[in-house]
Amino acid sequence: SRFGTILKLQEDDLTIYADGVRNSVGFDWHPITGEMYFTDNGRDWMGDDIPPCELNMVSNNGEHFGFPFVHGKDIKDDKFIANDKFKFTRPVWEFQAHSAPLGIKFYSGKMFPERYQNGLFVAQHGSWNRSSKVGYEVLFMKFNDNKVVSSESFITGWLNGEEFWGRPAAPLMLDDGSMLISDDHAGVIYRITYEG
């Protein structure tokens, strides 16, 4: 089945590159290791704080990332039960449930300070059915030795209490090192620059 997968097309050969994937929107390749990272939105109706949304990394063609049986690193689904021998790849990072991480992009430009080099920007589209809203921001994820070590807010302000006026969807890097962020609620694209 192709449901819940990321497919790879090479010439006329279509294969499953990642299996057990739920609602993945954004992916990018690490600028040093070449490994593919992708976001995965957690399922709804399990609660305000579970299951987490995910950042995953593909190491081997066809590996399974848990859906629909397991969410995040260890939350078993309440409807789909896997057998005891079920093996899956755990996420490299868990985001707040319902934050809806969509587009991602690694930074290899020269405009931003050195600390952003080879780090990952993540657009969090924001929750739609959580009792109090979360997301609605752009995160920066720092890598050390090609592994995620932290996540921090990079751009906020779209959410004010329970009211929002924008929803970031995807980052894109320009040749000059600046970054574009699309906002599919406000219908605009922002350009982010840095002057030291």
Side-chain angles (χ1 to χ4, degrees):
S1 168
R2 294 177 185 170
F3 178 77
T5 63
I6 295 174
L7 301 173
K8 177 181 179 181
L9 177 63
Q10 191 166 9
E11 294 178 5
D12 60 353
D13 185 28
L14 184 66
T15 59
I16 292 175
Y17 189 62
D19 202 352
V21 176
R22 185 192 184 277
N23 198 12
S24 179
V25 176
F27 57 88
D28 196 14
W29 286 265
H30 191 286
I32 295 172
T33 67
E35 290 160 322
M36 190 181 100
Y37 286 75
F38 67 91
T39 56
D40 200 334
N41 284 223
R43 67 159 273 205
D44 297 308
W45 315 121
M46 287 182 78
D48 269 3
D49 296 311
I50 61 169
C53 295
E54 303 171 7
L55 178 68
N56 291 292
M57 182 192 77
V58 180
S59 297
N60 301 297
N61 274 5
E63 66 189 298
H64 201 287
F65 290 88
F67 175 75
F69 308 109
V70 183
H71 309 280
K73 293 179 180 173
D74 58 6
I75 297 172
K76 291 183 177 167
D77 195 85
D78 56 2
K79 293 184 178 140
F80 295 94
I81 310 301
N83 66 42
D84 293 338
K85 296 182 180 177
F86 177 64
K87 290 191 179 359
F88 70 100
T89 302
R90 286 170 170 75
V92 297
W93 193 267
E94 292 182 332
F95 299 106
Q96 164 67 49
H98 304 289
S99 59
L102 298 189
I104 66 174
K105 212 68 176 157
F106 281 99
Y107 189 76
S108 56
K110 303 293 185 223
M111 180 184 287
F112 294 0
E114 178 67 25
R115 71 179 301 267
Y116 294 105
Q117 196 66 214
N118 301 321
L120 184 67
F121 288 98
V122 180
Q124 291 203 318
H125 201 231
S127 56
W128 66 274
N129 68 341
R130 191 176 185 273
S131 64
S132 59
K133 290 185 170 44
V134 292
Y136 303 91
E137 65 178 328
V138 176
L139 300 177
F140 173 71
M141 308 194 73
K142 188 163 177 49
F143 280 61
N144 276 343
D145 296 325
N146 305 321
K147 304 239 183 287
V148 183
V149 294
S150 67
S151 174
E152 64 191 58
S153 294
F154 181 73
I155 304 174
T156 62
W158 287 286
L159 180 65
N160 182 10
E162 291 300 300
E163 300 296 318
F164 64 89
W165 60 271
R167 301 187 81 182
L172 178 69
M173 303 309 163
L174 297 181
D175 290 343
D176 66 0
S178 64
M179 178 168 60
L180 301 179
I181 300 284
S182 61
D183 178 340
D184 66 1
H185 179 78
V188 297
I189 296 173
Y190 312 98
R191 181 169 174 254
I192 294 88
T193 62
Y194 176 83
E195 294 179 11

